[in-house]
Amino acid sequence: MNAWQNPLIEQRADPQITLVDGRYWFTASVPSYDAIEIRAADSIAGLSSATPKTIWHKHDSGPMSFHVWAPELHRIDGRWFVYFAASERGDIWKLRMYVLECLGDNPLTSEWIERGQITTPEEGFSLDATPFEHGGKRFLCWAQKSPPTESNLYIAEMANPWTLKTEPVVITRPELAWERIGFCVNEGPALLKRNGRVFIAYSAAATDANYCMGLLWADERADLLDPTSWHKSPTPVFTTDESVSQFGPGHNSFTTTPDGQTDLLVYHARNYRDIVGDPLNDPNRHTRVQAFGWRADGFPDFGTPVADGPCSL
């Protein structure tokens, strides 16, 4: 039986779990925001006790010296890459996107090198980069500030794993009331392809109990670089559930059971509502995993957050 305990890993926000060649790989923001660590296991449950390996540490000064945020580990054309954001000491919002590449086949033991910054035309902060392949092309989706205060989702085609090929286009802005609580935010994109559609789940609002997931979709045959190809759910698709003490679920990723038959939602949430001070300084956004299904119309049904405790399929 596939079973694990929620929360799966405590004090790990912005979690990403990916299944590659029968092995699960995990990375997330660490509470100190100063390093990137990864871990691996043969099962979801095994990730909770797997020994984390720090593969990169922040610089002492200048770019990449402060607030290392939301890493993602991806296998692209047989190579391992990590996408992450980092800022400079003294300016937490001087966030830019960066890429690391592993020079060997084992991310836990092989050397990692810096491939540099993913440059974008706009000057606002950029973060939460996630690459994906579709229709024989490689795309990047990410969150970026657009004046005066909004964080929007952008998409562009890639020339290589660390370089954009096309001009970025905006595919969603925080225009709905539930996306504008506390802050005007669309961030944390995560890709899901199924039933003739390309779905992008994303997170919205401030990082407290108002944090929630939204959903975009486009026809799989559409031009993904055309903003009109994308549609948005008018309501959030995964939200706080006070009845089970799960608050602010979001910044998700997707994986499956080893046999690929059951889809799994990976996300962070807190088990209490009230936060003292800046929510970003509260370390208790824990990693959680739960199964989800599909509606008759081909759209995902994420349900509601499950209570802490044993979780099985």
Side-chain angles (χ1 to χ4, degrees):
M1 175 183 291
N2 294 292
W4 56 89
Q5 187 85 11
N6 270 335
L8 181 71
I9 303 173
E10 294 190 349
Q11 296 193 343
R12 291 297 181 271
D14 315 319
Q16 189 222 14
I17 296 177
T18 184
L19 179 63
V20 179
D21 296 332
R23 192 161 175 79
Y24 287 101
W25 297 86
F26 173 86
T27 189
S29 297
V30 299
S32 51
Y33 298 126
D34 62 354
I36 295 173
E37 65 174 34
I38 59 177
R39 65 180 76 185
D42 294 330
S43 66
I44 293 290
L47 289 172
S48 63
S49 58
T51 301
K53 171 68 180 295
T54 298
I55 62 166
W56 184 86
H57 197 270
K58 69 177 181 64
H59 292 191
D60 291 333
S61 61
M64 295 187 282
S65 64
F66 190 62
H67 210 87
V68 179
W69 211 342
E72 289 194 5
L73 177 67
H74 291 270
R75 183 80 164 167
I76 300 174
D77 296 332
R79 307 287 288 180
W80 291 98
F81 296 90
V82 165
Y83 294 75
F84 68 101
S87 60
E88 297 186 25
R89 184 163 298 281
D91 187 355
I92 188 175
W93 295 113
K94 201 170 183 179
L95 281 163
R96 300 294 184 268
M97 302 180 293
Y98 299 94
V99 181
L100 307 177
E101 182 179 0
C102 184
L103 296 183
D105 293 328
N106 189 336
L108 295 171
T109 59
S110 300
E111 179 185 358
W112 286 84
I113 62 170
E114 296 174 3
R115 283 299 184 191
Q117 180 183 339
I118 300 175
T119 57
T120 63
E122 296 207 15
E123 297 181 358
F125 65 71
S126 56
L127 67 158
D128 297 348
T130 190
F132 66 95
E133 183 277 333
H134 184 67
K137 299 178 180 180
R138 180 77 51 186
F139 296 92
L140 190 75
C141 187
W142 71 96
Q144 185 157 326
K145 181 181 178 181
S146 178
T149 58
E150 293 182 348
S151 172
N152 308 319
L153 289 190
Y154 286 74
I155 193 171
E157 189 180 344
M158 306 190 78
N160 61 42
W162 55 89
T163 308
L164 301 184
K165 181 179 180 179
T166 62
E167 287 291 314
V169 296
V170 179
I171 58 173
T172 177
R173 301 179 186 274
E175 299 166 323
L176 304 175
W178 52 272
E179 301 173 304
R180 303 174 67 87
I181 302 175
F183 296 99
C184 302
V185 172
N186 285 174
E187 65 180 13
L191 186 95
L192 189 62
K193 295 197 288 185
R194 192 70 57 83
N195 302 328
R197 297 182 180 92
V198 178
F199 296 98
I200 292 180
Y202 65 95
S203 296
T207 56
D208 52 19
N210 294 298
Y211 206 55
C212 61
M213 280 171 48
L215 188 68
L216 304 174
W217 66 90
D219 186 278
E220 65 179 2
R221 298 161 297 181
D223 177 5
L224 301 188
L225 298 181
D226 181 352
T228 64
S229 297
W230 293 94
H231 312 278
K232 180 193 290 193
S233 170
T235 57
V237 294
F238 199 64
T239 63
T240 287
D241 188 341
E242 192 163 1
S243 70
V244 291
S245 298
Q246 299 296 304
F247 298 92
H251 204 119
N252 75 290
S253 61
F254 298 109
T255 189
T256 68
T257 51
D259 61 9
Q261 296 301 303
T262 303
D263 291 296
L264 302 176
L265 174 65
V266 182
Y267 62 98
H268 71 231
R270 294 184 177 90
N271 61 8
Y272 53 87
R273 176 183 292 276
D274 296 329
I275 301 167
V276 177
D278 188 337
L280 289 177
N281 295 327
D282 180 299
N284 296 317
R285 292 183 291 174
H286 304 324
T287 294
R288 294 169 163 85
V289 180
Q290 66 187 67
F292 68 93
W294 295 85
R295 302 186 330 217
D297 61 4
F299 279 72
D301 182 357
F302 299 120
T304 60
V306 298
D308 287 348
C311 190
S312 61
L313 301 177

